[in-house]
Amino acid sequence: VSAGRQPALGTLYLDTMRVAFVGKGGAGKSLIAGTFARLLAREGEPVLAVDSDPMPGLTFSLGIDLTDAGIPADAVVERPEGEEGPRFRLRPDLSPSEALRRYSATGPDGVRFLQFGKLRGHSSELMRSQAAFHSIVHDLPEEEWSLVGDLPGGTRQPFFGWTRFARTVFVVVEATPASLLSARRLARLAQMTEAPQVLAVANRVRTPDDEERVAVGTGLPVVAAVPYDEVVVDAECRGRPLLDYAPESASVAAVKSLLTRVQFEERAR
Ligand SMILES: Nc1ncnc2c1ncn2[C@@H]1O[C@H](COP(=O)(O)OP(=O)(O)OP(=O)(O)O)[C@@H](O)[C@H]1O
Ligand SMILES: [Mg+2]
């Protein structure tokens, strides 16, 4: 638990969870984030899964058949001349909660899904829809929704404040030199002001050594070890979410234990 994140006396206890998954490209962020979001939703929590990768991968692990939905450009209005603040803001008749209800897709287990932006479309429209995405994700009342974020690979978005909505950031990491190197960079998020709790999730674990190497190589607490699992590959080839294809698999069990562990930790803080 990082210093400075203790809730002040009198702080409302929040039942919701706000987590973001970061890591090197291909580390397993989308697989784990989507499975995590659905397991959390099965406990009866309203869950919003957000994919801030313009090349979305989260829809596959969630089981949402959609590649082209997005937030329309007219969800935002331009800042009037002479006023301060960001260039675009949500239309005055749209609260973040209302915008979420309107523009998110609903997937299995009732998970809501919000996408960062379509790849197609004119760039000025894309900018507007991305501004709306930001307002919704960052201004949504904390007590209403649990948020599960899937970030693009690498360090750019995490270091530019894209994990600001999260109270816990999971660095998904494999015990390979390249993956550990990028995880070490991401671990520095923990030293930033306003840092969330930063934890490692070891993925594609093959031996007990792998988990240890992730711990040593990142300097982060390892809160889950997801095994290398052939059924993950099978599920993917069949175009099915892991959770539906192999609900009893070792990899799903590992994500379940991650959820339980983090619920415990968030409550203990
Ligand atoms: N534990 C695992 N066992 C076997 N295969 C896995 C495991 N975790 C992930 N994979 C496979 O690795 C690939 C990358 O996973 P995924 O798309 O979740 O990674 P990502 O970090 O979201 O990638 P990107 O950075 O491209 O968004 C996928 O083909 C996935 O099925
Ligand atoms: Mg991904």
Side-chain angles (χ1 to χ4, degrees), residues 29-31 53 55-58 150-151:
K29 301 175 292 295
S30 299
L31 175 80
D53 194 336
M55 198 66 123
L58 190 57
D150 180 18
L151 275 80

Side-chain angles (χ1 to χ4, degrees), residues 162-182:
W162 285 67
T163 58
R164 213 171 55 220
F165 68 84
R167 296 196 290 271
T168 301
V169 172
F170 296 119
V171 181
V172 181
V173 54
E174 207 177 335
T176 63
S179 191
L180 287 168
L181 171 65
S182 108

Side-chain angles (χ1 to χ4, degrees), residues 14-18 45-46 142-146 167 266:
L14 295 169
D15 233 1
T16 58
M17 184 166 282
R18 294 185 149 229
E45 301 246 7
E142 289 212 22
E143 65 282 5
E144 283 181 20
W145 291 86
S146 284
R167 296 196 290 271
E266 288 226 331

Side-chain angles (χ1 to χ4, degrees), residues 29-78:
K29 301 175 292 295
S30 299
L31 175 80
I32 299 171
T35 308
F36 185 96
R38 285 183 57 179
L39 290 170
L40 179 59
R42 285 181 181 181
E43 299 189 351
E45 301 246 7
V47 176
L48 173 64
V50 295
D51 194 337
S52 62
D53 194 336
M55 198 66 123
L58 190 57
T59 48
F60 301 108
S61 54
L62 287 172
I64 292 184
D65 179 21
L66 135 152
T67 40
D68 216 25
I71 308 170
D74 71 358
V76 292
V77 292
E78 195 153 0

Side-chain angles (χ1 to χ4, degrees), residues 24-31 53 153 203-204 226-229 232 236:
K24 192 179 183 308
K29 301 175 292 295
S30 299
L31 175 80
D53 194 336
N203 189 24
R204 290 200 196 85
V226 182
Y228 175 82
D229 196 345
V232 172
E236 188 169 13

Side-chain angles (χ1 to χ4, degrees), residues 19-258:
V19 301
F21 289 84
V22 305
K24 192 179 183 308
K29 301 175 292 295
S30 299
L31 175 80
I32 299 171
T35 308
F36 185 96
R38 285 183 57 179
L39 290 170
L40 179 59
R42 285 181 181 181
E43 299 189 351
E45 301 246 7
V47 176
L48 173 64
V50 295
D51 194 337
S52 62
D53 194 336
M55 198 66 123
L58 190 57
T59 48
F60 301 108
S61 54
L62 287 172
I64 292 184
D65 179 21
L66 135 152
T67 40
D68 216 25
I71 308 170
D74 71 358
V76 292
V77 292
E78 195 153 0
R79 173 191 62 211
E81 195 96 26
E83 274 187 35
E84 300 279 303
R87 177 158 168 220
F88 297 109
R89 58 176 72 140
L90 281 179
R91 243 175 27 223
D93 62 307
L94 273 182
S95 65
S97 312
E98 177 56 26
L100 160 68
R101 271 189 289 277
R102 231 181 260 189
Y103 304 128
S104 63
T106 306
D109 300 310
V111 171
R112 293 297 196 109
F113 171 75
L114 199 63
Q115 194 175 4
F116 176 52
K118 303 184 232 184
L119 278 178
R120 278 178 276 156
H122 193 270
S123 67
S124 70
E125 293 209 349
L126 195 58
M127 247 171 76
R128 298 175 69 109
S129 115
Q130 292 176 353
F133 177 91
H134 267 276
S135 311
I136 297 170
V137 171
H138 295 291
D139 301 336
L140 202 61
E142 289 212 22
E143 65 282 5
E144 283 181 20
W145 291 86
S146 284
L147 242 61
V148 178
D150 180 18
L151 275 80
T155 53
R156 198 179 144 76
Q157 275 198 10
F159 282 102
F160 278 88
W162 285 67
T163 58
R164 213 171 55 220
F165 68 84
R167 296 196 290 271
T168 301
V169 172
F170 296 119
V171 181
V172 181
V173 54
E174 207 177 335
T176 63
S179 191
L180 287 168
L181 171 65
S182 108
R184 268 199 294 283
R185 301 223 163 122
L186 286 161
R188 285 189 210 138
L189 281 170
Q191 285 135 32
M192 287 164 61
T193 38
E194 302 260 341
Q197 163 171 248
V198 181
L199 304 168
V201 173
N203 189 24
R204 290 200 196 85
V205 169
R206 290 163 193 268
T207 68
D209 286 6
D210 286 348
E211 199 180 332
E212 178 62 18
R213 280 196 287 152
V214 168
V216 173
T218 61
L220 296 171
V222 181
V223 287
V226 182
Y228 175 82
D229 196 345
E230 288 290 341
V231 298
V232 172
V233 184
D234 293 346
E236 188 169 13
C237 291
R238 288 171 171 76
R240 304 218 22 225
L242 174 67
L243 191 56
D244 298 327
Y245 182 73
E248 306 300 328
S249 60
S251 39
V252 166
V255 181
K256 273 186 191 157
S257 78
L258 171 65

